Amino acid sequence: MWILDIFYIMGWLAIYFAKAPTYLSEITPKNVRGGITSVSMAMIPVSVSVAYLIGSVINWRALALIGAIPCLLLLFGLFFIPESPRWLAKIGREKEFEAALQRLRGKNVNISEEAADIKDYTENIQKIPEDKILDLFQQKYSHLLIVAIGLMVLQQFGGLNGYAYYMNEIFELAGVPSITGFIVVSVPQIPAIALGSILIEKFGRRTLLMVSVTGECLGCFLTGLSFVLQNLNWWMEATPTLMLSGMVVFEVSYSLGIGSIPWIIISEIFPINIKGSAGSICNAVNWFCTWLVSFTFNFLVEWSPAGTFFIYGSISFLGVLFIAKLVPETKGRTLEEIQASLTHFLQ
């Protein structure tokens, strides 16, 4: 089993340095950037749910082999995707930059205005030296860093991995068959992802994020309430339904926004000269919070199942206030416009 542990660590390290949200935000037009990136990132919880469902009927060896198939397809597909035009502009490969942008927008699309905006912004950015990770802690980046780290903490401390890693135990505590619980919780995530990808460009990141986190708060409250009723031996026949309702509300709310939008915002707000360092810090914070939630969840449940979910619900409630106060709206603006307004580099 130690071999599995090694591959597990290697897998998380690969994810740690993943650049998918940044890449997608750099290649997509502003009017569909949120929707496309949202669908991509929201596939993560859906994939986890599918893995749980498949893993309930086959052994872990077969599951590992099946899991290798999409990895190989992705590896093969990487040879056919274009480089980010903004990255090509940054390193001075102008002809390749224009060719990549034209390929992404279509042969008959006039890219002159967009290309000029990217070039102008890149020229201004190149006047500023490439910042390292420690440079991110300068005052000029403080607002961006607070927003990014706050969203990472909120995404994980809302309790997702508590639900995910200990779903069987939660079902057992509530008296719900595991297979039934998995199906009921997993299936609604798919339409939630589709709905989120449509609404994100209509109502904006902040609005959808606030709705999503509010839903998480409600889901945690319903789950916690089901355990309170169970402990008091009240309304016992409705406890499993209430618990499942809480889990469904939580998972749907997560898929609707908080699962993907933080990564979208992070990929949009940081200028290109610090985007790599910022992404590394955000990934490190995210996975540390993931570990912390998974490590502490069992101890919290032993202390109080109801109290555990009320704590997560309280964090989500505070998260709504955080989003309303500090998180900027980035809908309908180019990356250059967003970053210039936040960092004042073009002023």
Side-chain angles (χ1 to χ4, degrees), residues 52 161-171 294-295 297-298:
Y52 272 120
N161 289 300
Y163 279 105
Y165 295 156
Y166 298 96
M167 200 171 282
N168 268 327
E169 287 81 351
I170 296 171
F171 289 146
S294 61
F295 178 76
F297 184 83
N298 212 28

Side-chain angles (χ1 to χ4, degrees), residues 303-323:
W303 162 66
S304 170
T308 300
F309 290 100
F310 288 146
I311 289 172
Y312 291 148
S314 299
I315 293 172
S316 294
F317 174 77
L318 295 174
V320 175
L321 302 179
F322 170 82
I323 294 164

Side-chain angles (χ1 to χ4, degrees), residues 58-134:
I58 63 175
N59 62 52
W60 67 267
R61 292 180 178 84
L63 183 63
L65 290 173
I66 292 172
I69 295 174
C71 296
L72 293 173
L73 291 174
L74 178 61
L75 180 63
F76 178 73
L78 288 175
F79 292 99
F80 299 94
I81 64 173
E83 279 287 4
S84 162
R86 288 176 169 85
W87 179 79
L88 291 170
K90 178 190 174 186
I91 62 173
R93 290 158 62 176
E94 188 168 332
K95 289 184 178 179
E96 293 175 64
F97 151 67
E98 293 181 354
L101 188 61
Q102 190 72 69
R103 178 182 172 188
L104 288 164
R105 300 296 181 262
K107 291 182 179 179
N108 300 321
V109 176
N110 185 355
I111 62 167
S112 57
E113 184 177 349
E114 183 179 4
D117 289 341
I118 294 173
K119 287 178 185 177
D120 289 343
Y121 180 76
T122 303
E123 288 172 2
N124 281 278
I125 284 292
Q126 287 176 335
K127 297 175 183 177
I128 304 169
E130 188 83 17
D131 286 331
K132 299 181 174 61
I133 287 182
L134 291 179

Side-chain angles (χ1 to χ4, degrees), residues 34-287:
I36 290 177
T37 311
S38 178
V39 170
S40 172
M41 297 308 300
M43 286 295 108
I44 296 173
V46 170
S47 301
V48 172
S49 298
V50 170
Y52 272 120
L53 289 173
I54 297 175
S56 65
V57 295
I58 63 175
N59 62 52
W60 67 267
R61 292 180 178 84
L63 183 63
L65 290 173
I66 292 172
I69 295 174
C71 296
L72 293 173
L73 291 174
L74 178 61
L75 180 63
F76 178 73
L78 288 175
F79 292 99
F80 299 94
I81 64 173
E83 279 287 4
S84 162
R86 288 176 169 85
W87 179 79
L88 291 170
K90 178 190 174 186
I91 62 173
R93 290 158 62 176
E94 188 168 332
K95 289 184 178 179
E96 293 175 64
F97 151 67
E98 293 181 354
L101 188 61
Q102 190 72 69
R103 178 182 172 188
L104 288 164
R105 300 296 181 262
K107 291 182 179 179
N108 300 321
V109 176
N110 185 355
I111 62 167
S112 57
E113 184 177 349
E114 183 179 4
D117 289 341
I118 294 173
K119 287 178 185 177
D120 289 343
Y121 180 76
T122 303
E123 288 172 2
N124 281 278
I125 284 292
Q126 287 176 335
K127 297 175 183 177
I128 304 169
E130 188 83 17
D131 286 331
K132 299 181 174 61
I133 287 182
L134 291 179
D135 295 326
L136 272 171
F137 296 96
Q138 299 175 37
Q139 186 177 358
K140 62 181 179 179
Y141 299 131
S142 59
H143 181 216
L144 303 183
L145 201 59
I146 289 170
V147 169
I149 292 178
L151 289 175
M152 293 293 94
V153 171
L154 177 60
Q155 186 185 62
Q156 296 304 324
F157 280 14
L160 172 71
N161 289 300
Y163 279 105
Y165 295 156
Y166 298 96
M167 200 171 282
N168 268 327
E169 287 81 351
I170 296 171
F171 289 146
E172 289 173 8
L173 285 169
V176 177
S178 294
I179 295 297
T180 302
F182 282 135
I183 294 173
V184 171
V185 170
S186 301
V187 170
Q189 291 185 51
I190 298 174
I193 290 171
L195 182 63
S197 65
I198 295 170
L199 296 180
I200 190 170
E201 295 298 350
K202 184 174 183 179
F203 295 105
R205 280 73 158 147
R206 289 177 75 251
T207 301
L208 196 58
L209 201 53
M210 291 174 68
V211 170
S212 175
V213 176
T214 300
E216 279 195 323
C217 180
L218 176 61
C220 287
F221 174 78
L222 292 175
T223 306
L225 181 60
S226 70
F227 287 116
V228 169
L229 296 175
Q230 189 180 62
N231 292 337
L232 296 174
N233 291 319
W234 291 352
W235 209 20
M236 293 300 291
E237 66 278 3
T239 299
T241 302
L242 188 62
M243 186 279 302
L244 273 179
S245 298
M247 295 190 72
V248 169
V249 169
F250 181 92
E251 294 289 348
V252 167
S253 298
Y254 182 89
S255 299
L256 188 65
I258 188 63
S260 58
I261 294 178
W263 295 108
I264 296 172
I265 292 176
I266 288 168
S267 69
E268 291 175 331
I269 62 175
F270 286 104
I272 198 168
N273 66 310
I274 58 166
K275 192 167 285 189
S277 299
S280 297
I281 287 180
C282 291
N283 274 289
V285 170
N286 189 275
W287 288 111

